[in-house]
Every structure is written in structure tokens, then in C-alpha cells.
Amino acid sequence: MSAFLGQVLNGIATGMLYALMGLGLSLVTGVLNIPNFAHGALFAIGAYLLASAANLMGNFWLALVIAPLGAALLGLAIEYLGIRRLYAAGHDYQLLFTFGLALILSEAIILVWGPVGYSHLPPPILRGGVDLGFTFYPKYRLFVMVAAGLLVLGTWLFLEKTRYGAIMRAGIENKEMVSLLGIDVHKLFTAAFALGAYLAGIAGALTAPIRGLSPGMGVDMLGIAFVVVALGGLGNLLGAIAAGLLIGVAQAIVAAHWTEASSVVIYAVMAAVLLVRPQGLFGIR
Amino acid sequence: MNRALIAILAAIVLLPLVVRPAIASEIWIFAIFGLGVNLLLGYTGLLSFGQGTFFGSAAYVAGWLLKHYAINVFFALGIGVGVGALSALVVGYLCVQRSGLYFIMLTFALNQLFYFVAYQWTSVTGGEDGMPGIPRPAILGIDFGNPVAYYVFVSVLFLASLWIMRRIVESPLGKILQAIRENEVRAEAVGYDTARFKLAAFVIGGAFSGLAGVLYAMLFGIVPLEAIGFVTSGNVVFATLIGGSGSLYGPVIGSFVFIWLSESVSTLWARWPLLLGVAFVIVVLFFRGGVVEAWSRFAAWRERKWRSSKQTG
Amino acid sequence: MTQFKKRRDTLKLGALAAAGLGFPAILRAQPKEIVILGLWDQTGAFADVGPLNDRGMKMALEERGMQVLGRPIKYITRDGGTQAGTSTRRTEEAVDAEGAKFVIGPWSSGVALAVSEVAKRKKVVHLFSGGTEDISGSRCHRYSFQWAASPYTAAKTVVDNFMKANPKAKRWHLLVADYAFGWSVEKYVKEVGKTHGIEFVGSDRHPLGEREFSNYVQKAAANKPDVVAMVNFGGDAVAGAREIYNFGLTPKVPLIMTWSSGVEELVQLAPEIRENLWVGTNFYYTVDTPAAKNFVKEYQTKFKLPPGYAPSAAYSMTHMLLAGFDKAKSDDVQAVVKALEGLQMNDIVGPMRVDGATHQTLRPYFLLRCKAKSAMKHELDFGDVIATGDAPLPREYAACKDIGAF
């Protein structure tokens, strides 16, 4: 039983990260209606910025604040200079563009930081683990679980309880209405993309001490983010959170019993759900 | 014979003088792949981001039979086309009900599913290591181990594929697909079962992808895991867009540009994907419609200049 | 009618193409040059290893002034991308277009098997270092040679000597990378383990390039093993070791890295993680041979860090190839192959001999025990070589029954 609880705990910890990634991507695809293949690269940039900032300033916490802001700024620039022109262009060109960006960003990472993977240790107070009774668990992972959870909560509160958030949600539902109400849809899109980039960036920054850094680290995360969004429903933010946790836990439990299937299971579940409910588990058609 | 066809025939003859026959073969094989994809993308308006599924599945099945059962070349080609079409039927059936981003994501997810199954099923596919040792069986005394002989074989199949695709797009089926692309609701209203036609396009696209897959396996003597991966799926879509999805010949040009550049630039600079990414961005921002459109724009500009000089002159 | 046309077209095209192919030959490598290909990955899962391999190979060639047999050496590299398709393609291209007749690499065992088939088909000499036993085993042929110790030798050295120091550690959990290299080494660890009465309480495979080890580690911890042994490499090994530490398994439970790259991996791990870490490797920089001392000094001057397995393997394989040229007194492929078979030399790992029947190099393998932080005399004093072993693969296991003809 304790083994099972340990797996569930681990599943929730990784699931929180997945939820964070999925939330950002869901926001972007929901508001902007584009296939954003650069989301994974923004994740990687967040991680690398964290490592560099932490090494430069000698302070992990400061770096944790700065790194995702860097990713958000990058997102802002990308939307303003590029994606903005493509809303009418059709999914194929949006895809080509964001994919091109992903290539540019990951190659840029190699040029700046080199192709070797790096390790970045958690800050000293978060090293080692704690005995929780049913399992021994790394302190840093507990921290990430809590931090990601707070971020997810914070994002959800922003979207539900603030005016700006309401505008964004309205943008997901009905862009025309939003612009008819006199709101600048362009600014809405830019803000949404920047927020999505921020979430990807901070997910990356949090992950860096766990997974280490490598230029291709964004690619796997991108696939997972897509699964989360598809399961949760495009633009359905609560759905993305639930789907992220679901996938994390499912993966952890499957890995314990049939390790080889842990990569397949995510996509199998996604395919199965989408066939029955194309809008995802929680989406509304 | 129109000009495009003459250009293509010239290219077929001249290409092996400029690059190795193996690369030349790869270009035409990828062009066959692109033709299939463009039936979906350019003509029907369906962005399928999972064509690697059919390409790779056909390569594995035909490769397996070639390697372990020594089937002959034509049978292998038939298997390739068949597996490509069949897998496309299955995937297509599951996907055509959806549209927009959902459709793209579903094709991507199913592609990943096939990829991971291929990855895990190491006893058959070799997993990460791939399936090496695929022979090129001889027919009628022609030894296809000779790269030039194989090149001729591939070129002939390419020309045949081009001809078939041309007949398809000019047929009533082709017109209906384009109508669906323009306005699916209207096509439905007029009485066409659009889902069925989209599925047909999928299957045909899959057949072409499967043919390309077998030829690829025989060309390199190996079915690598990446053949069924999303990178392959992405590459063929990108090559088609770069060439220009609005024309029959777009994928051919795109294949040229993509394969030639990636082969030659990659030996010069390890970071060449950066240039590829930049190329994508430039195409999207300035050359939507790809090379074909850029060429016709250029031709129109030249025409205008000539006409205006005639007037002033 | 169509068939006839095809044949006529074939002839026409063939004639044109033959003329065309002849043309670039004039521009190709001068016949005097000896072209050697280093197939090193710059992209993909082993993107960080490629540059290291390149260093080692270049160093060995430059020591000879880029010359052998009185002729200049043209050293070309190609990025195999850690993928079978790309690697085989680029190898063929190098052989056809550049005239390369000698290939060293790639790094990934699975990909190397595919490249080995190209070597056989194109009849070029192929040297490789990696953990798959198939190149000198079930897929052996006249053109490929294996530099690394046989996985059997590695397993024997590691398991025998570890058990000497820890006789009570009978419950082992294995974490294995899921491709050719992992399978071979795992097989022999289990074989040799049986002779010590070891019980393998768990054995999990993970994909190459995996970074998320938490699920595997939790499963390992649940089995309450006496030892955790990893059969993986590079970034995977580093990520795995880190996670095993984070989840509290080490340092209580010893961790074995069965086939490690040595320095390059160890430098990425914090000292706490290295406590109670046992490392099996094909080369470690404190190995006491004159050739190693020279090489390590030169490498460290140039690149700051001492060399690990990757650059040393490339360096030593290049030495082997050059020795082959010297012994054969020619660059004819068949002559070099015959010279390599039975070649004996003292190199950075110590005495080496190539078994002519299997093309496997018989040579020492090393087991290190890593030090706690307090025992480290300097920053790079990761551990000491506590044992070497060179037990060759017993005849009954040898899957290479007939190395074949040319």
C-alpha cells in the first residue's frame, strides 16, 4: 500500500508540472487558436535562464523569479513580431512558424550554452529527502509540487476573479464579442501568449534541478503538453489542470507495473479519449 | 507536355550528375511522399501531422517481408501501398470527424502512439536500433544494388505517381475535395458526404506515403525508428509548404529544396537546423505559397515590367 | 513496349550518369591521401559525446603529424545524429563521395550495428567502441572491430570485485538503458551474478535519453535492494544517479555504474551523490600506464578536464588503426584488416590484443570506487581504480562462429 501511495505522490508531483505546462498551452491555443509548437522551447529557455541566472547571481530564488520573466518577454516579442501577422493565415502556416521558432530556439540554446547536458543542483535547503512514512521523498520535488500547485491556483484565480482574466476567458469563448465590446483583441492575444510563455518558462525553471538541462528537453514536454490540452479540452483551464494530474498519476502507476509502457500509455489514453469525446474529458463542444 | 513536366524530366536526367544517385533517389521518394500529403493539405485543406505513421508502417511491414521472406520487388511495392492505405483508413476513420486544431492534435497523437509501439516492439522493429538488412531484390536481371539502376526505378515510379496524382486532382473527386477545402459546410449542403470524401483523400494520401516508405527502406537498406516519428511527419509537411501547397508540383519542388539543402548544409555546420528554422519563419512571413507562389509572383512582376517597358518604349 | 523503353532509358541514363559520376572524381581526394571518417554525433542523444570523440581522434592523428605511410591523412567527420538512418546515410556518402575507406564510430551501439552493415557492404574498415556484444558476436564480419572490452569482461570485473568488497550484498536491482548496449551488458551482469548467488529483485528498462527517473527509482526503492546497478550512459546515468540519491537510496545502498564514461559523468555529480558510488569503465585517467600518463597530461593541458572514456576510446582506436597501417605497410583494406587481426599493442589501457576470430579486443576493464568528499585530495580526485579485469568471453558464449570472408 505504501508503495502505491508513493507512486501516487510522485504522480501528483509530476502531474502538477504537466498541469502547469498544459495550462499555458491551453491558454494559448484557446485564446489564439493556433498550434503552438514553440511551447516546449520556451520551457527549455526557462530552465537555461534559471541555471545561468542562479550561477551569475548565486541566488536560486532570485533566479526563479527572473527566469520565467525572461521567457515571458521572449513570448511577448514572438507574438508581437511574428504570430500577430498569422492569425488569418491558417493552421499550416502557424504550425510551420512555431515549429521554425522551436528549431531556432533550441539551436540557439546549443550555440549559447553548448550541446552538453548540465546539472543544476537545488538550493542547499532543498537538497536531500524527507521520510514521509510511506515513502522517502526528495525535498525539492515536494517544493516543486507545492510551487506548481500555487502557480496553477494563482493562474486560475487570475482568470476567474480578475477583470483581465475574465477578458481572456471571454476571448476563448468568443473573440468577436470581445472586440465588439471595445476591447483591443490584439493586446488580449499578446497578453495571453506572454502569460502562456511565462507558465512554460517557470515550469522549465522549476524542472531544471530535477531533470537537468539539455537542449532537447523541450521536445518531450511539448508532446505531454499537447496531450494535456487535448484531454482537458482546448481552452478549458480547469480541464488542463485535471488532465495534467491525471496523466502524471497514470504514468506513475503504469511505470510501476509495466515500465516499458509508461511512454505509450499517455498517447494511448489521449487517442482513446479523443475518439470517444473529441472535445476532451472536460471540454465543451 | 507543359513546361513544368519538361522541367521535371530534365531534373530527373540531370540530377544524378550533380548529386549522388542515393540523394537523388531520396529526393524523388520524398516527392512521392509529398504528393500524398498535399492531396490532403493543399487540395482538401486537411493538415495531417501524422503522415509518418503510414510511411513508417509500410516501411516496416514491407521491410520485414523483404528481409525474412525474400519477396520480390513488385510485391513489396504492393505491400507498401496496401499497408499505407490500410493504416490511413484506420487513422483517417478516427480523425475525419474532427476539424481544426483537434484534427491536427489527433493525427499527431496517433502518430506518437504508432511511434512508441514501434519503439517498444523491439523483437520486430529493432526499436531504437532500427530494422537493418533490407535487400533490394533484382528483377529481370537488373541488379538494383547498383545505385543508378535503383535511381531509374525510383524516377519511373515517381513519374507514375505524378501522373496518377494529376489524374486524381483533375477528376471529379479532386474537384469535390477542393470544394471541401473552400467551404465544407456548403459542400455538405450541396449533398456530399464530406466525411467519406475526406477519408478517401486520407487513404489515397496514405497509399502514396506507403509507396514512399517502401522505396525509402530499400534505398537505405534500413528502416530507422525515426521513419515513423513525428519529425518525418513534420518534415514532409514543411517541405510541401515550402514548395507551395497550392500546386501539384509544390511538393516536388519542396522535396528538392528540403532534402538537398539539409544534406548539403548539414555537412557544413552542425547547427544547420537553425537555418532551417529561419527558412520556415521567412517562408511564413514573406513567401506564403512557397516557392511556387514566389516564382509566379516573380514571373508576374517580370511580365509587368516587360509590358510597361513596351508601352513606354 | 514499356519494358523496352525502360531498358533503353536505363542505358541512356546509365551512360550519362556514369560519365557524370566520373567527373567529380577528379575533384575528389588526391589518390595519395588516406581518408579516415570519424562518425561522431553532434546532434541527438549523444550530442555531447561527439565533440569529445573528435578531440581524442584528432589528438592521435596530430601526434603523427596527420601522416602515415609517408602519405597525408585526410580526417573527415560526419554527424550521425545518434540515429541509424542518418548515420548510415552519411557513412555511405563519405565512402562514395570522399573515398573514405576507414571508419571510426559512431558512439551509440545500436546505430553502430547499422553502420557495421554498411561497412560490410561497402568493404571498408570499421572500428567501434561500445557495449553491444553483437559486433564481435552474432553480427560479426571481416570489416568491423570492437575496441571496448567485451560486456562479459566488464560484468565480470565489476561484479566479481564488487562482491569481494561487499560479500553480503545479494539483492540487486538493475536499471538498464533500452537498446543494444543495455541488453548486452545486462545479460552478462545477470550471468556473472548467478555465479555469486545474487538475486535480481528487479530489472527495469528505460528509453535512451530518459530524464524522468522518479518512477523507476521509486520502484527500485520499493524492492529494498542491497545494491542498485545501472547499465546506462552519459546523461541518462547522471540523471539516474541524481534521482537515486534524491530518493534516499544512496549512500546507504551502493550504486554501481556498470559501463560509465568516467570523468565526464562524475564531474556532473555532486560529491554527496558520489559517496558509495562504484564505477566500471573502459578508461579512467589515473590508470598507470606510460601511454595513459602522456595522453592524460596532453589532454588536460588542452581541455582543462582529464579525459573520460569517450575521447580515450577515440584516441586509442585511432592508435589501433594507425598501428594497422604500420603493420600492413599499406592502406589496402584487406591488408589492414589482416594486420589488425592478432594485433598486439600497449596503449593507454595497458596491453591489448585483437582476437582474430571475433575481432574483439582483449584488454583490461577498470572498477573504481568513488570517494567521499572529505577523502578527496583535489577537485578531480573522484576515486581510485581498485581493480582491473581482463577475463575474455568464454568460448561457449561466443556467438561469432565464423568471421567470414572478404
Side-chain angles (χ1 to χ4, degrees):
Chain A
M1 185 54 184
S2 61
F4 178 71
L5 282 176
Q7 289 149 24
V8 172
L9 177 64
N10 200 36
I12 295 180
T14 42
M16 267 305 173
L17 265 175
Y18 294 167
L20 201 55
M21 277 301 274
L23 195 54
L25 186 60
S26 192
L27 194 59
V28 169
T29 50
V31 175
L32 282 66
N33 195 32
I34 60 165
N36 181 16
F37 272 77
H39 204 69
L42 291 166
F43 169 84
I45 292 267
Y48 273 92
L49 286 177
L50 174 97
S52 287
N55 287 337
L56 251 160
M57 302 185 301
N59 185 327
F60 173 81
W61 307 102
L62 212 52
L64 195 57
V65 172
I66 293 186
L69 288 175
L73 247 120
L74 187 59
L76 208 89
I78 290 173
E79 198 278 340
Y80 192 76
L81 296 170
I83 297 189
R84 187 170 275 219
R85 310 190 200 188
L86 301 177
Y87 293 120
H91 290 321
D92 44 359
Y93 288 108
Q94 293 159 358
L95 195 149
L96 189 62
F97 182 76
T98 55
F99 202 93
L101 277 179
L103 283 176
I104 295 176
L105 285 174
S106 53
E107 291 298 310
I109 288 178
I110 297 182
L111 284 172
V112 173
W113 282 280
V116 187
Y118 282 119
S119 295
H120 189 90
L121 291 171
I125 59 164
L126 288 177
R127 287 187 206 166
V130 15
D131 190 349
L132 296 170
F134 58 92
T135 186
F136 187 90
Y137 207 70
K139 285 188 200 156
Y140 187 74
R141 278 188 187 260
L142 287 171
F143 164 70
V144 167
M145 190 166 70
V146 171
L150 287 173
L151 280 162
V152 163
L153 184 65
T155 311
W156 185 79
L157 283 172
F158 167 77
L159 290 165
E160 283 292 314
K161 304 290 182 200
T162 69
R163 184 164 174 270
Y164 297 109
I167 295 175
M168 261 190 210
R169 278 183 298 120
I172 295 177
E173 294 294 323
N174 192 331
K175 280 176 257 304
E176 276 166 14
M177 186 64 82
V178 166
S179 68
L180 282 172
L181 288 170
I183 295 170
D184 185 348
V185 177
H186 289 300
K187 288 219 189 89
L188 172 66
F189 285 7
T190 311
F193 196 86
L195 179 57
Y198 178 86
L199 291 172
I202 199 162
L206 285 170
T207 310
I210 298 182
R211 291 191 176 205
L213 301 154
S214 63
M217 65 191 291
V219 179
D220 297 322
M221 259 315 189
L222 181 67
I224 292 178
F226 267 110
V227 173
V228 171
V229 169
L231 276 179
L234 283 171
N236 183 324
L237 307 160
L238 265 181
I241 298 171
L245 288 170
L246 190 69
I247 291 183
V249 173
Q251 203 180 22
I253 295 181
V254 169
H257 299 282
W258 188 15
T259 337
E260 287 80 15
S262 51
S263 10
V264 191
V265 82
I266 314 180
Y267 296 100
V269 169
M270 173 180 178
V273 170
L274 284 182
L275 293 171
V276 175
R277 273 179 73 94
Q279 63 269 36
L281 286 168
F282 310 103
I284 328 153
R285 196 48 157 145
Chain B
M1 270 211 283
N2 63 44
R3 276 204 254 146
L5 207 48
I6 296 178
I8 287 181
L9 285 172
I12 290 182
V13 170
L14 296 174
L15 194 55
L17 305 180
V18 189
V19 298
R20 289 186 311 127
I23 297 189
S25 299
E26 193 183 349
I27 290 179
W28 298 121
I29 292 174
F30 207 67
I32 296 176
F33 194 15
L35 284 173
V37 168
N38 205 28
L39 183 65
L40 287 164
L41 180 60
Y43 287 93
T44 320
L46 289 173
L47 175 54
S48 163
F49 204 66
Q51 293 298 111
T53 307
F54 323 127
F55 181 86
S57 301
Y60 275 123
V61 175
W64 174 264
L65 290 171
L66 278 165
K67 181 172 171 174
H68 294 278
Y69 293 95
I71 60 176
N72 75 53
V73 157
F74 291 114
F75 193 39
L77 294 179
I79 293 279
V81 170
V83 170
L86 192 63
S87 51
L89 181 63
V90 172
V91 171
Y93 180 75
L94 301 172
C95 293
V96 289
Q97 322 286 345
R98 327 299 174 217
S99 59
L101 282 179
Y102 285 117
F103 177 80
I104 300 174
M105 295 203 302
L106 194 50
T107 53
F108 172 74
L110 287 169
N111 187 188
Q112 288 287 83
L113 188 57
F114 273 78
Y115 173 83
F116 281 110
V117 169
Y119 173 83
Q120 282 305 134
W121 205 356
T122 48
S123 54
V124 169
T125 64
E128 183 94 40
D129 304 339
M131 185 194 279
I134 315 277
R136 280 186 221 167
I139 42 157
L140 310 166
I142 305 178
D143 171 27
F144 285 127
N146 179 329
V148 176
Y150 192 66
Y151 173 76
V152 173
F153 181 61
V154 166
S155 314
V156 167
L157 285 169
F158 164 72
L159 287 171
S161 307
L162 188 61
W163 182 78
I164 293 176
M165 186 50 78
R166 180 146 169 218
R167 295 298 303 272
I168 291 175
V169 302
E170 287 173 357
S171 74
L173 172 63
K175 301 288 184 242
I176 295 172
L177 293 176
Q178 290 176 72
I180 292 176
R181 180 193 69 208
E182 292 303 317
N183 191 329
E184 185 170 348
V185 175
R186 195 195 298 167
E188 282 259 13
V190 172
Y192 290 118
D193 183 350
T194 54
R196 221 152 26 113
F197 284 100
K198 286 197 278 190
L199 186 58
F202 229 100
V203 171
I204 298 173
F208 276 72
S209 304
L211 177 64
V214 187
L215 292 172
Y216 183 91
M218 287 197 290
L219 174 65
F220 293 116
I222 181 173
V223 182
L225 183 62
E226 52 266 24
I228 203 169
F230 78 92
V231 176
T232 301
S233 303
N235 284 345
V236 70
V237 169
F238 303 146
T240 304
L241 286 173
I242 288 180
S245 58
S247 133
L248 178 65
Y249 303 103
V252 181
I253 299 175
S255 170
F256 246 91
V257 171
F258 188 80
I259 300 231
W260 198 336
L261 279 183
S262 54
E263 282 303 312
S264 47
V265 179
S266 60
T267 53
L268 296 174
W269 194 31
R271 305 276 73 84
W272 69 273
L274 179 68
L275 299 174
L276 192 64
V278 172
F280 289 171
V281 169
I282 291 180
V283 163
V284 171
L285 293 178
F286 305 112
F287 289 107
R288 238 165 285 166
V291 171
V292 169
E293 160 123 355
W295 177 256
S296 51
R297 265 196 255 162
F298 173 69
W301 171 82
R302 224 178 31 176
E303 173 90 12
R304 275 200 311 273
K305 283 217 82 176
W306 180 79
R307 275 218 201 106
S308 72
S309 75
K310 272 198 85 181
Q311 280 171 352
T312 55
Chain C
M1 199 56 205
T2 343
Q3 263 181 23
F4 182 56
K5 241 179 108 176
K6 249 198 240 176
R7 207 169 291 162
R8 216 180 33 188
D9 284 351
T10 315
L11 287 175
K12 258 199 261 178
L13 207 45
L16 273 171
L21 284 173
F23 180 62
I26 303 169
L27 306 167
R28 254 195 261 149
Q30 326 305 335
K32 279 191 62 180
E33 278 184 338
I34 297 180
V35 185
I36 306 180
L37 169 67
L39 188 64
W40 306 128
D41 301 316
Q42 307 277 357
T43 52
F46 287 149
D48 46 348
V49 186
L52 300 172
N53 297 132
D54 179 45
R55 282 180 191 172
M57 190 163 172
K58 230 189 256 174
M59 270 177 73
L61 291 173
E62 278 164 4
E63 268 172 14
R64 290 279 208 121
M66 297 301 280
Q67 274 210 31
V68 77
L69 300 172
R71 290 155 60 177
I73 292 175
K74 181 171 177 197
Y75 169 49
I76 58 174
T77 60
R78 290 286 182 271
D79 174 15
T82 323
Q83 288 180 334
T86 319
S87 294
T88 50
R89 234 188 10 248
R90 301 254 165 96
T91 307
E92 287 212 37
E93 181 260 328
V95 171
D96 288 338
E98 301 280 344
K101 291 195 289 183
F102 309 94
V103 179
I104 305 188
W107 197 246
S108 159
S109 308
V111 177
L113 286 170
V115 172
S116 173
E117 298 226 350
V118 175
K120 184 174 173 190
R121 206 165 13 109
K122 293 291 202 186
K123 304 196 191 310
V124 298
V125 178
H126 172 226
L127 279 81
F128 154 74
S129 173
T132 173
E133 59 166 347
D134 292 345
I135 287 215
S136 52
S138 55
R139 311 261 285 259
C140 68
H141 62 80
R142 216 59 198 278
Y143 295 91
S144 282
F145 291 83
Q146 163 72 284
W147 178 88
S150 149
Y152 176 83
T153 312
K156 198 115 173 59
T157 309
V158 171
V159 179
D160 281 355
N161 290 294
F162 178 84
M163 290 313 281
K164 247 188 249 171
N166 304 274
K168 296 234 191 52
K170 298 284 194 182
R171 291 167 54 88
W172 286 42
H173 183 97
L174 294 181
L175 189 52
V176 179
D178 196 7
Y179 70 116
F181 141 72
W183 306 333
S184 289
V185 178
E186 179 191 14
K187 172 169 141 197
Y188 288 119
V189 167
K190 285 186 168 165
E191 284 284 335
V192 176
K194 260 195 293 201
T195 66
H196 288 270
I198 292 176
E199 184 198 347
F200 290 96
V201 296
S203 176
D204 289 323
R205 296 202 174 153
H206 69 80
L208 177 65
E210 178 69 85
R211 291 291 172 269
E212 183 55 73
F213 277 89
S214 56
N215 293 323
Y216 304 107
V217 175
Q218 274 206 316
K219 194 164 169 212
N223 284 330
K224 301 214 187 313
D226 299 326
V227 179
V228 176
M230 291 199 301
V231 181
N232 55 18
F233 192 83
D236 300 2
V238 170
R242 221 187 298 129
E243 222 46 64
I244 290 174
Y245 171 77
N246 282 338
F247 274 80
L249 274 168
T250 48
K252 271 184 282 129
V253 173
L255 172 64
I256 303 179
M257 288 164 85
T258 328
W259 185 283
S260 160
S261 67
V263 171
E264 285 104 16
E265 285 163 18
L266 294 173
V267 80
Q268 291 191 54
L269 296 171
E272 302 87 58
I273 304 181
R274 295 198 300 260
E275 210 179 305
N276 213 359
L277 179 62
W278 303 67
V279 177
T281 180
N282 274 285
F283 179 76
Y284 191 67
Y285 78 98
T286 60
V287 161
D288 191 6
T289 67
K293 289 195 154 34
N294 249 348
F295 170 56
V296 172
K297 192 157 126 229
E298 215 193 300
Y299 187 93
Q300 203 159 358
T301 324
K302 270 189 159 152
F303 303 110
K304 308 285 182 299
L305 274 183
Y309 166 32
S312 344
Y315 180 80
S316 186
M317 281 191 281
T318 312
H319 271 191
M320 240 174 90
L321 181 62
L322 292 168
F325 287 134
D326 293 336
K327 187 170 165 206
K329 302 209 204 319
S330 136
D331 73 330
D332 169 59
V333 168
Q334 293 196 8
V336 173
V337 168
K338 290 198 194 129
L340 285 172
E341 291 167 347
L343 179 78
Q344 286 187 311
M345 56 188 279
N346 280 329
D347 202 55
I348 55 178
V349 296
M352 299 180 3
R353 186 173 75 80
V354 178
D355 177 9
T358 60
H359 286 198
Q360 168 70 46
T361 306
L362 305 165
R363 29 112 345 141
Y365 193 77
F366 307 97
L367 178 65
L368 256 80
R369 183 178 185 165
C370 288
K371 299 179 171 172
K373 189 162 184 179
S374 44
M376 286 170 64
K377 287 187 229 111
H378 60 91
E379 202 178 67
L380 298 168
D381 184 19
F382 301 121
D384 296 319
V385 176
I386 59 167
T388 65
D390 56 7
L393 181 68
R395 279 282 156 218
E396 59 265 27
Y397 288 136
C400 180
K401 303 295 177 204
D402 178 14
I403 196 82
F406 285 113

